[in-house]
């Protein structure tokens, strides 16, 4: 998911549209920083224990953790996304995929060493999510929450694209934020309030809170960027004819500005662990 999909309230309609284009989602969506999985695992110190992934999608983050030998239980609510996830992790026998919502999953007395969510935490019921994570983790177990927001580097191109968006009533698209609008610290996302640190501190059952930012520039040619947009929920919920029109107009703008778009890609990571039992 992109920053454009991080709504302040849980929107199940948007959260369930990705399976319509599971293959496109898998091909077009960017992954996460190369160092992230190793850093999370170093913090969690699993020592062979299983990690749980919330809303694994098609495995954008899963494969990085699996490649490092991590035993994984991946929970994905959309059957179509789960099917692609199973295919993408077929070479990792230590990965299990469970179709269903994290809110409906029962750990059945098991306690895990790590629970992580890759751009999916904001889809989990905000009234229950910290309880659910705490109940799934062993004392000292870690939670890792991360997102990959991005900003447009060329302000003139951004302004032209935003003008197209406005004509179609879209205001939270992947190119809607300038790279310069992001702050210097993890979670400072140009006014989007999704960073979990304050919520976690209020909960009080977690300790050793940390935040890490990774950064890299990425270029999308017109075709690849249109594929990314076509997988975004704000575009998916548009009527098909209207969606095709906005994508066509967006392509015209991109082609008029050199045939693509350069983005500043961030990966912002939040870490915490369950307080040890006294």
């Amino acid at each position: 998911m992109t920053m454009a999909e991080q709504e302040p309230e849980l929107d199940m309609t948007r959260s369930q549209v990705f399976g319509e284009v599971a293959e496109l989602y898998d091909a077009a969506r960017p992954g996460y920083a190369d160092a992230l999985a190793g850093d999370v695992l170093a913090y969690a110190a699993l020592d062979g224990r299983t990690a749980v992934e919330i809303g694994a999608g098609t495995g954008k983050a899963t494969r990085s953790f699996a490649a490092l030998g991590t035993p994984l239980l991946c929970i994905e609510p959309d059957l179509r996304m789960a099917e692609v996830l199973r295919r993408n992790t077929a070479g990792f026998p230590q990965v299990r995929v469970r179709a269903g919502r994290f809110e409906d999953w029962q750990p059945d007395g098991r306690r895990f060493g790590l629970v992580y969510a890759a751009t999916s935490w904001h889809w989990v019921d905000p009234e229950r999510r910290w309880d659910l994570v705490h109940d799934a983790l062993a004392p000292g177990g870690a939670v890792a929450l991360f997102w990959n927001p991005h900003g447009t580097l060329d302000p003139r191109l951004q302004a032209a694209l935003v003008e197209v968006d406005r004509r179609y009533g879209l205001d939270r698209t992947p190119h809607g934020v300038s790279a310069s609008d992001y702050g210097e610290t993890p979670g400072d996302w140009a006014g989007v309030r999704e960073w979990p640190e304050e919520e976690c501190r209020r909960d009080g059952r977690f300790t050793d809170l940390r935040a890490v930012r990774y950064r890299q520039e990425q270029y999308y040619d017109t075709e690849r960027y249109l594929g990314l947009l076509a997988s975004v929920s704000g575009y998916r919920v548009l009527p098909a004819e209207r969606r095709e029109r906005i994508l066509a107009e967006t392509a015209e703008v991109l082609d008029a500005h050199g045939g693509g778009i350069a983005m500043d890609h961030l990966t912002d990571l939040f870490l915490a662990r369950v307080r040890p039992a006294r």
Side-chain angles (χ1 to χ4, degrees):
M1 275 162 262
T2 69
M3 293 300 295
E5 294 154 326
Q6 295 189 34
E7 301 293 345
E9 297 181 357
L10 194 65
D11 185 338
M12 293 309 297
T13 300
R14 286 194 171 207
S15 71
Q16 294 170 354
V17 300
F18 305 111
E20 298 173 354
V21 286
E23 298 287 351
L24 179 60
Y25 183 105
D26 187 53
R29 289 301 182 100
Y32 298 90
D34 293 340
L36 180 138
D39 290 349
V40 170
L41 292 173
Y43 175 88
L46 286 177
D47 193 24
R49 292 179 297 177
T50 297
V52 175
E53 181 175 4
I54 302 171
T58 63
K60 286 293 180 180
T62 314
R63 283 171 284 191
S64 296
F65 284 87
L68 296 176
T70 314
L72 292 172
L73 171 59
C74 303
I75 303 172
E76 168 51 44
D78 191 290
L79 292 174
R80 298 157 295 186
M81 300 285 275
E83 181 179 352
V84 178
L85 174 63
R86 289 190 178 96
R87 187 186 69 218
N88 285 339
T89 57
F92 301 104
Q94 79 277 24
V95 175
R96 291 176 293 146
V97 177
R98 178 186 176 93
R101 297 171 67 236
F102 179 62
E103 293 90 333
D104 299 328
W105 169 68
Q106 296 293 328
D108 296 327
R110 294 170 293 174
R111 292 294 180 266
F112 298 86
L114 169 67
V115 173
Y116 72 89
T119 320
S120 60
W121 181 246
H122 52 283
W123 296 123
V124 183
D125 182 352
E127 298 298 322
R128 301 175 57 205
R129 53 194 178 193
W130 290 106
D131 290 335
L132 294 169
V133 166
H134 186 270
D135 291 347
L137 286 171
V143 55
L145 311 174
F146 47 96
W147 290 261
N148 56 355
H150 41 262
T152 306
L153 287 166
D154 183 342
R156 292 178 299 175
L157 172 57
Q158 184 200 13
L161 291 171
V162 167
E163 181 57 35
V164 174
D165 297 342
R166 287 175 180 156
R167 291 201 294 270
Y168 289 85
L170 294 182
D171 62 357
R172 300 187 73 181
T173 58
H175 47 260
V177 177
S178 170
S180 62
D181 288 337
Y182 289 105
E184 294 301 317
T185 59
D188 191 347
W189 296 333
V192 179
R193 296 183 178 180
E194 292 293 343
W195 192 242
E197 183 170 352
E198 182 179 346
E199 196 176 74
C200 183
R201 288 190 186 279
R202 288 199 307 267
D203 182 276
R205 292 174 291 182
F206 298 83
T207 188
D208 193 17
L209 279 58
R210 305 184 192 181
V212 183
R213 168 166 285 179
Y214 310 84
R215 190 171 222 143
Q216 64 182 13
E217 185 176 323
Q218 190 160 354
Y219 183 81
Y220 297 83
D221 63 24
T222 298
E223 181 178 2
R224 185 182 173 208
Y225 192 65
L226 292 183
L228 171 62
L229 295 184
S231 75
V232 169
S233 60
Y235 290 82
R236 297 310 313 161
V237 298
L238 292 174
E241 182 180 350
R242 189 172 179 81
R243 182 169 62 246
E244 291 305 314
R245 289 205 306 270
I246 187 174
L247 290 175
E249 291 186 30
T250 298
E252 291 177 4
V253 171
L254 291 170
D255 288 342
H257 287 74
I261 183 171
M263 310 287 283
D264 188 11
H265 270 257
L266 310 176
T267 297
D268 281 1
L269 166 65
F270 175 77
L271 295 164
R273 67 176 79 252
V274 175
R275 291 185 182 277
R278 294 180 179 177

